[in-house]
Amino acid sequence: MRMRKKKNLEPRLERCEDVTISNPAELRGSWKDLKPDARKICLEIGCGKGRFITTLAAQNPDILYIALEREKGAIVMAMEKVKAQELGNVRFIIGDAAELCDYFADGEIDDIYVNFCDPWTKRHREKRRLTHRNFLALYRRIMKPDGHFYFKTDNVELFDFSEAELPDFGMEILTLTRDLHATDIPNIMTEYEERFSSQGVKINYIEAVFKQ
Ligand SMILES: C[S@@+](CC[C@H](N)C(=O)[O-])C[C@H]1O[C@@H](n2cnc3c(N)ncnc32)[C@H](O)[C@@H]1O
């Protein structure tokens, strides 16, 4: 997501320091300490402006959510939502999915959510897709063996790629639909999802696990 430079970005980020993990590598292996009674620790990669993670966190106060995003202009809006709603179970990392294994120890994360990631449809850019096997390998390391991976996209090319890539990498697809909103699968709309679906674009969805 290319963001215009946000006004007052640095002071706004400073006001969100209490929900920001500025050195995630220091917490590697001990994220549970942030919420010892947490039933699970779940991660959203590319949280954008945060509607999804704030809604999910409000519905599940017994789960600790980590939201990762590399664009400061987007993540600051997500942080502000969490603070406005006084949610105590969300923390943010300003960082890159490529560094996941520096942030989390093996098996530390339960579920992972990837919503409307950049499709990288130009030739030779597949490796940047967050469902490319190079990223799946990182997810497999940091996830618990019974963790679930949830993926949504409007982009058919990315979805076709992912539908093939996940099983090729040894994942089992539990649920797949090319029209999520026509199903009764529980769903929380993201900012991107609302924009695309209001234009009549169908939303593609996969829930998958790593085969043991
Ligand atoms: C198209 S936006 C979707 C945002 C939000 N998930 C939604 O559905 O409204 C994709 C987001 O993923 C972030 N992103 C893409 N690649 C990333 C990476 N490797 N690590 C962290 N964030 C990433 C982008 O900065 C952008 O904010």
Side-chain angles (χ1 to χ4, degrees):
M1 187 195 296
R2 283 260 171 270
M3 306 277 303
R4 253 178 272 136
K5 206 163 188 301
K6 285 246 174 340
K7 233 176 144 188
N8 297 324
L9 180 57
E10 290 306 323
R12 286 171 66 197
L13 285 166
E14 273 170 34
R15 284 196 288 277
C16 296
E17 266 173 5
D18 52 337
V19 293
T20 308
I21 304 298
S22 48
N23 193 347
E26 277 177 6
L27 271 178
R28 190 176 187 276
S30 52
W31 284 86
K32 190 93 200 278
D33 294 351
L34 293 178
K35 187 172 167 54
D37 61 342
R39 188 167 59 79
K40 293 205 244 179
I41 305 178
C42 299
L43 171 70
E44 187 188 8
I45 301 174
C47 70
K49 297 176 187 170
R51 179 193 297 174
F52 178 83
I53 202 73
T54 49
T55 310
L56 193 60
Q59 288 175 1
N60 299 286
D62 54 346
I63 295 179
L64 173 64
Y65 291 97
I66 316 295
L68 171 70
E69 169 58 58
R70 61 183 179 191
E71 283 287 342
K72 288 183 178 177
I75 201 170
V76 74
M77 297 172 78
M79 293 169 171
E80 288 169 348
K81 285 192 179 85
V82 161
K83 284 178 73 71
Q85 293 179 42
E86 299 181 356
L87 296 169
N89 59 333
V90 188
R91 295 290 185 281
F92 292 92
I93 301 173
I94 303 171
D96 198 297
E99 315 292 329
L100 280 174
C101 292
D102 295 338
Y103 306 151
F104 303 105
D106 291 3
E108 197 165 18
I109 295 296
D110 286 274
D111 303 333
I112 291 185
Y113 300 88
V114 174
N115 295 319
F116 301 87
C117 60
D118 308 273
W120 296 110
T121 46
K122 283 199 188 140
R123 280 183 63 193
H124 309 307
R125 297 283 165 90
E126 290 90 350
K127 284 190 177 168
R128 300 186 190 194
R129 294 175 175 163
L130 292 180
T131 51
H132 185 275
R133 64 193 59 207
N134 291 355
F135 283 103
L136 299 179
L138 307 182
Y139 308 158
R140 185 171 60 188
R141 272 192 63 181
I142 65 166
M143 279 170 85
K144 293 197 166 59
D146 59 350
H148 287 221
F149 176 75
Y150 299 93
F151 171 63
K152 291 195 278 188
T153 182
D154 60 299
N155 188 282
V156 174
E157 187 178 332
L158 172 64
F159 195 71
D160 289 344
F161 168 86
S162 307
E163 184 183 355
E165 184 78 343
L166 270 58
D168 271 4
F169 191 72
M171 295 179 80
E172 180 185 353
I173 294 180
L174 303 179
T175 312
L176 182 151
T177 173
R178 288 176 179 264
D179 189 0
L180 176 61
H181 295 179
T183 73
D184 55 6
I185 296 167
N187 185 41
I188 295 170
M189 289 247 249
T190 78
E191 280 88 353
Y192 263 69
E193 183 171 357
E194 178 143 302
R195 193 196 305 167
F196 290 125
S197 59
S198 70
Q199 295 164 4
V201 178
K202 290 198 168 54
I203 305 302
N204 305 285
Y205 169 86
I206 282 177
E207 175 186 1
V209 290
F210 286 99
K211 282 189 201 152
Q212 298 311 310

